[in-house]
Amino acid sequence: MKASRAIALAGTIAVGVSAGVVGTAAALAGHLGRLAVTVDRGLERPITVRRVLAGDEPRVWITGEGASALGQHSLLFDAPGASPGEGRGAAPAGHARLGPVLARNGVDVLRAVESVDSGTLAPGCRGRMVGWWYTDPAELGYRVEPIHYDTELGPMAAWIVHPRRARKKRWAVHVHGRGASPAETFRAIEPFARAGVTSLIVSYRNDLGQPGGVNGRYGMGISESRDVDAAIAEARARGAERVTLIGWSMGGTASLVTVARGTHRAVIDGVVLESPGADWAGILRDKASEAGLPGWIATAGMALLERGAVASGEPGGIDFAALAPGTLAASLDVPTLILASPDDRFVRWQGAHAIADARPDLVELVSIPGAGHVRLWNADPELWESTVLRFVAGLPKPGWRGQ
């Protein structure tokens, strides 16, 4: 082979290899971007039930990811051998409430069984641990009124929880997180009710049984904030003059965006955030790192989402600048309570910390070490509820905007 032909062939191979690398990188970036906005079908079943000990104080041996989570948790489970359910947001059929860890045997942990609300807990059941505890808002003993509220996509299901002694014209809108259900927020009913605040617990776009969002995907809290704003409108139509927002994870993002740009932001008197998604760029970089990918793959994925090259719940693309901690902090003008854990491995608390550091005039940050993502209540219910009650009961009237 002549030298010139060899050089040409080597160049062709090099270009092909480079193109292949670039193509692979683009595919990985696109995949990461899609994962961030794809609706969670809830099909993971990392927990296996090893043994059930019946008796006056039933207990269960379980193993798998989340089995040793701090505090009390719910186990959502399917019968042995069952296939995960189908459909958007599908969840296991069984629900058991488990107490704290009592003992360990290698990777297996023993927990008390507080109750089994549905299904039959048996060896071989597979499921997942969640922070949700209550299955129905009525379990807390308050009058509950199922309703629908109007959004730009159509009616969405919601519940009004009436406190025993309501403070006139004070409401709260409870917003769950990505891939969760409204049941995630039921843990916050008690402190709001004790403060005399009427609670509006909402479903939003892409929830099971509710209208799908644009492209059937999430908007990282931006699209969802429009449903939160619509919920505030519903509360106002029912007499609310003061509305407190409480958001969990991506529901926290939606709450922060609502404070920044919502049509009804003038009536918001405060915000409570549990494990908020307060730095989406950081979240995507963390996910890339966990997958063994370099940070620039996450940056490329964000660029694709921002341009709309990867479809999301925002037709014009995701505005990552609007979701940066500095931007969200600058938009705050009402008292804000952030509950976050330094041991949250799903949504690290750096974003929450950045907002608290930027706005010490408005933001109080309370941490519960050892707690997982949206699991601070589970780790210490008394501290969580007393902190939220103190904050909510002491909020000033709207009109005080931080000056």
Side-chain angles (χ1 to χ4, degrees):
M1 181 182 293
K2 292 183 178 180
S4 58
R5 290 180 60 193
I7 293 172
L9 179 58
T12 300
I13 292 172
V15 170
V17 170
S18 298
V21 170
V22 171
T24 299
L28 288 171
H31 179 66
L32 182 66
R34 280 188 293 276
L35 282 179
V37 294
T38 298
V39 173
D40 185 355
R41 294 182 181 274
L43 301 182
E44 300 84 2
R45 305 289 192 270
I47 296 288
T48 299
V49 175
R50 295 288 200 195
R51 184 181 178 194
V52 178
L53 307 177
D56 294 336
E57 298 180 354
R59 293 159 294 161
V60 61
W61 283 99
I62 59 175
T63 190
E65 182 183 355
S68 59
L70 181 65
Q72 58 192 35
H73 287 72
S74 289
L75 174 64
L76 306 182
F77 64 91
D78 285 322
S83 298
E86 298 294 333
R88 187 172 64 240
H95 180 270
R97 294 181 233 207
L98 306 183
V101 172
L102 300 174
R104 300 174 187 271
N105 182 15
V107 296
D108 297 351
V109 299
L110 179 68
R111 288 181 176 268
V113 179
E114 303 291 342
S115 67
V116 178
D117 303 292
S118 59
T120 300
L121 197 61
C125 287
R126 295 183 62 84
R128 68 180 190 271
M129 298 284 275
V130 298
W132 322 338
W133 188 250
Y134 304 105
T135 60
D136 188 315
E139 289 177 32
L140 289 110
Y142 300 103
R143 182 168 66 87
V144 177
E145 180 184 352
I147 68 163
H148 284 82
Y149 71 103
D150 291 328
T151 75
E152 64 185 18
L153 299 175
M156 303 276 189
W159 298 263
I160 299 174
V161 181
H162 299 272
R164 295 186 182 92
R165 295 182 180 178
R167 295 173 66 177
K168 289 184 178 179
K169 302 177 181 180
R170 282 207 63 183
W171 285 57
V173 173
H174 299 243
V175 192
H176 66 80
R178 178 186 184 278
S181 82
E184 178 173 66
T185 72
F186 295 169
R187 291 167 287 177
I189 290 173
E190 184 64 28
F192 278 88
R194 289 173 61 192
V197 179
T198 300
S199 288
L200 178 60
I201 297 168
V202 300
S203 303
Y204 57 73
R205 63 189 65 200
N206 296 315
D207 281 357
L208 184 64
Q210 308 305 312
V214 174
N215 298 312
R217 291 184 172 178
Y218 295 124
M220 291 185 169
I222 297 176
S223 309
E224 295 77 10
S225 73
R226 295 193 288 276
D227 297 339
V228 177
D229 201 48
I232 298 175
E234 180 68 29
R236 295 188 74 177
R238 293 173 179 268
E241 293 184 358
R242 299 176 57 180
V243 176
T244 307
L245 300 181
I246 172 164
W248 304 67
S249 191
M250 190 177 76
T253 316
S255 297
L256 287 167
V257 174
T258 303
V259 170
R261 60 173 73 169
T263 304
H264 302 281
R265 61 182 304 277
V267 301
I268 298 172
D269 63 1
V271 184
V272 178
L273 304 172
E274 155 77 48
S275 307
D279 180 8
W280 274 95
I283 292 170
L284 289 186
R285 291 191 184 98
D286 284 342
K287 299 310 174 190
S289 177
E290 290 168 9
L293 300 173
W296 61 266
I297 291 289
T299 302
M302 286 185 279
L304 293 173
L305 284 166
E306 198 157 28
R307 296 200 310 266
V310 168
S312 71
E314 281 291 281
I318 299 293
D319 182 1
F320 280 95
L323 300 179
T327 305
L328 295 170
S331 300
L332 279 177
D333 59 1
V334 293
T336 301
L337 171 65
I338 301 178
L339 300 127
S341 170
D343 298 301
D344 187 337
R345 295 293 177 258
F346 190 74
V347 174
R348 299 182 188 274
W349 77 332
Q350 279 81 356
H353 232 300
I355 290 176
D357 290 345
R359 298 303 304 272
D361 56 321
L362 287 176
V363 179
E364 175 185 0
L365 176 64
V366 175
S367 69
I368 300 181
H373 185 59
V374 294
R375 311 285 180 89
L376 278 75
W377 179 94
N378 304 79
D380 195 334
E382 291 185 7
L383 175 60
W384 197 97
E385 291 187 10
S386 64
T387 300
V388 173
L389 173 59
R390 170 184 55 78
F391 176 81
V392 172
L395 285 173
K397 294 181 180 179
W400 183 87
R401 313 305 288 184
Q403 281 89 33

